[in-house]
Amino acid sequence: MLAGGLITSQITDLTKSCDEIITEAEACFNEQQTGQWKIDSGRELAVRLTDDLERRYEMRGKLTGVGTGFLDLDRILNGLQFGEQTLVGARPGMGKTALGLSVVCHALFNLDVPALIVSLEMSTEALLRRMCSQHTNTPMNNLKHGNLTEKDMKSLTVFNAKLSKKPLHIVDAVDGINSSELNRVVRRAV
């Protein structure tokens, strides 16, 4: 109630941007939510576990999460699980971005699963070039230097047409983003 009232009272304030009003309302909303966490009893937890295991049993070996396109990884993880966070760590230049973009491309183009990329290292254009290169098998060097054949141009046109219809969202946060801003961006995207 308080967050809604805050938004209503600030709509007429022309000195604040829409983002500022929403940010203040979200902060108010988050304060209201504090302390309202439900604590499940052992009996409730046992029911939840049984329901989860029954659902997985009924799947009969099918992925319970979103497939990554990597069969061995999907066998280990059973796909990317809803409500879980999967972290990939490695030294620079070891292929983390390539792996992530491969998973995003598989989710988007093969499974029609929406994707949000928050990039802290690469510009949106650089990520799109990499996705395009992976998806069309066009050498990255050709894309970077503009040395494209007629065949490349046809492939890029097809890729671009497919991409324009997919639920892909990219946030370019190369200049930095804090955890509150990241939470806000993800909430708004969802």
Side-chain angles (χ1 to χ4, degrees):
M1 289 291 272
L2 293 174
L6 180 66
I7 290 173
T8 304
S9 68
Q10 292 186 355
I11 286 176
T12 57
D13 184 352
L14 300 177
T15 63
K16 291 188 177 183
S17 71
C18 183
D19 276 345
E20 288 173 320
I21 293 171
I22 291 172
T23 299
E24 289 178 22
E26 285 176 338
C28 182
F29 178 75
N30 288 338
E31 286 174 17
Q32 291 175 34
Q33 296 300 312
T34 304
Q36 294 182 5
W37 302 107
K38 184 179 182 312
I39 300 174
D40 290 329
S41 68
R43 177 174 288 159
E44 291 166 324
L45 294 171
V47 169
R48 286 176 65 176
L49 174 62
T50 301
D51 289 347
D52 178 63
L53 294 176
E54 283 178 0
R55 181 181 60 82
R56 289 171 185 276
Y57 175 77
E58 290 169 5
M59 297 288 290
R60 298 277 196 252
K62 293 180 187 168
L63 292 182
T64 58
V66 175
T68 65
F70 295 95
L71 298 178
D72 290 339
L73 184 60
D74 284 338
R75 244 183 254 115
I76 293 167
L77 299 176
N78 202 13
L80 299 175
Q81 299 296 306
F82 299 101
E84 294 182 9
Q85 185 177 42
T86 304
L87 299 176
V88 176
R91 296 187 52 79
M94 299 303 291
K96 298 178 299 294
T97 300
L99 173 66
L101 289 178
S102 293
V103 171
V104 166
C105 281
H106 179 73
L108 278 173
F109 295 107
N110 298 335
L111 305 175
D112 285 322
V113 174
L116 169 67
I117 299 171
V118 179
S119 178
L120 302 175
E121 295 178 348
M122 297 179 74
S123 70
T124 299
E125 292 79 10
L127 288 169
L128 291 171
R129 279 193 306 271
R130 287 185 74 165
M131 285 180 70
C132 182
S133 176
Q134 283 182 0
H135 196 76
T136 65
N137 294 319
T138 303
M140 178 60 83
N141 208 31
N142 291 10
L143 291 174
K144 282 184 176 180
H145 296 286
N147 298 329
L148 301 169
T149 65
E150 192 173 318
K151 180 184 173 201
D152 291 338
M153 290 303 289
K154 286 179 183 175
S155 295
L156 300 177
T157 302
V158 169
F159 173 76
N160 212 24
K162 286 182 185 178
L163 180 64
S164 69
K165 296 175 185 158
K166 296 299 177 181
L168 173 65
H169 308 279
I170 298 177
V171 176
D172 188 337
V174 172
D175 293 335
I177 190 169
N178 65 39
S179 59
S180 296
E181 293 168 330
L182 179 60
N183 284 333
R184 191 167 48 250
V185 164
V186 171
R187 256 195 321 275
R188 285 184 188 165
V190 170

